[in-house]
Amino acid sequence: MAAQRLDSAEPFGAGPEAVQAAIAHLGYVQIDTINVIERCHHHILYSRIPAYRRSDLAHLQSTEKSVFEYWTHALSYVPTADMPFFIPAMKAYRENPSAWFGSVTKAEVSAMTRRLKMNGPLNIRDIDDDELVDKTHPWASRKPSKRVLQLMFYQGLVAIAAREGMVKTYDLMARHFGWEKPPRPATERQRTAYLLDRALRSQGVVSLDSVCHLNAPAKAAVRELIEARVKRRLLKPVTIAGAEKVQHWAPPEVLDQPPMVPVNRVHILSPFDPLIIQRKRLKLFFGYDHIFEAYVPAAKRRYGYFALPVLVDDRVIAAIDLKTDRQNSKLLVQKWTWLEEVGAEAREAIEAELGRFERFQLEG
């Protein structure tokens, strides 16, 4: 809880500096397209910054340029200071584009580069001379230029300079950041240390799976580094009751922290929150098996289409399926599932947080 900064009221303060500090501490903040309630990148930051404003994130991305978008385990906001750790992946995309981008030609990339140089930053809506094609995937676009821009994004040729909802404005990477030359790429050894240090900072107690979430190729090198740090007494092995076969580790100072004092602090968390997204870890530590049911047939849903876990102190005590009715300025409770009994004070705290959460949804 302390590692996730969910154990105190305002762990990062307020303003753009707080947003920068939160992203730097967590390592990344996931972006997602679902808009049943506020999109998850804003929701995740709001959960740790009570005075969070969406404009603070936009300022960091477009004006200060101290955060950028790239792929971690999903598309995410990442500190620009961490750029060297992502440049090798960009280079790999340039050398070996995935099959998803197989239809994009070098001539199309060159033409888009010239267009950006001549006309400045653009979004897909600015392109009106495409010959539309049939979609090959539900998430694809009928505009071929979109796939060209997406490939250039993964290759590190363009950056997402601004975002309005899910509409992205692209600019040439070097121009966006004002680089004469890009940062030097991190070595493989540095990237391994980065993965481990990021996980230790934001998770406290780690396993090989939690460090390498959806990144199995990194496991061998991370395990080797963990074993080296155990020998130097920088990490201690941790055994968790009920999961003795799964190795965990933590820095000694983490294990010396006093237990959390219950104060009925409530967080209504996004299903994409870093505390929630690793489902096996969540179940192990909190005894809660979260199911993302947006893609489950309605008749088989247990918690609801877009259920949000409700955290009171360090217990997940409910899952609430919420939907924002923006036209009528209301937050609708579609379904409420209690997972354990709570007292009157905790119920009052949940209702108060729901009211605050509703105001956040409707601020726009």
Side-chain angles (χ1 to χ4, degrees), residues 3 5 37-38 50 58 64 74 77 81 83 94 119 174 210 286 301 332 349:
R5 295 297 188 262
I37 59 168
E38 182 54 85
E64 289 193 9
Y77 283 104
M83 179 73 75
R94 291 195 297 273
N119 300 333
S210 78
F286 292 88
R301 289 175 191 151
L332 307 179

Side-chain angles (χ1 to χ4, degrees), residues 178-300:
W179 293 338
E180 292 185 7
K181 58 180 180 179
R184 179 178 296 178
T187 64
E188 192 65 32
R189 186 173 182 178
Q190 289 169 333
R191 289 167 63 199
T192 300
Y194 165 75
L195 288 175
L196 178 56
D197 291 337
R198 184 179 71 182
L200 289 168
R201 185 176 66 243
S202 62
Q203 297 174 15
V205 179
V206 304
S207 67
L208 202 56
D209 282 343
S210 78
V211 176
C212 304
H213 181 50
L214 300 183
N215 185 11
K219 285 186 176 181
V222 169
R223 176 178 284 280
E224 185 178 340
L225 180 58
I226 288 172
E227 291 171 352
R229 291 192 184 183
V230 169
K231 288 181 181 178
R232 294 164 56 198
R233 299 184 181 180
L234 299 174
L235 291 177
K236 284 187 175 182
V238 175
T239 301
I240 298 175
E244 289 82 2
K245 293 183 179 180
V246 181
Q247 291 182 291
H248 286 80
W249 300 268
E253 62 271 18
V254 167
L255 301 177
D256 292 336
Q257 289 187 19
M260 192 173 176
V261 178
V263 293
N264 286 323
R265 179 171 289 110
V266 177
H267 291 98
I268 300 168
L269 294 176
S270 166
F272 302 103
D273 192 278
L275 189 77
I276 304 299
I277 196 65
Q278 296 196 37
R279 306 288 192 240
K280 290 182 180 179
R281 177 181 171 86
L282 176 71
K283 185 175 182 180
L284 175 61
F285 281 92
F286 292 88
Y288 168 59
D289 191 9
H290 184 78
I291 305 169
F292 185 64
E293 298 179 319
Y295 306 118
V296 174
K300 295 184 178 181

Side-chain angles (χ1 to χ4, degrees), residues 98-137:
S98 72
W100 172 261
F101 301 108
S103 62
V104 178
T105 66
K106 290 183 178 180
E108 288 175 312
V109 171
S110 297
M112 184 62 72
T113 301
R114 288 194 299 272
R115 186 171 194 155
L116 285 161
K117 285 181 177 178
M118 290 176 59
N119 300 333
L122 59 80
N123 64 55
I124 197 65
R125 293 175 179 172
D126 296 326
I127 299 173
D128 55 10
D129 56 356
D130 264 356
E131 292 186 16
L132 301 183
V133 298
D134 291 332
K135 286 189 177 185
T136 57
H137 188 279

Side-chain angles (χ1 to χ4, degrees), residues 341-355:
E341 292 294 325
V342 296
E345 289 186 5
R347 286 175 179 262
E348 288 178 9
I350 293 168
E351 290 291 344
E353 182 57 25
L354 272 172

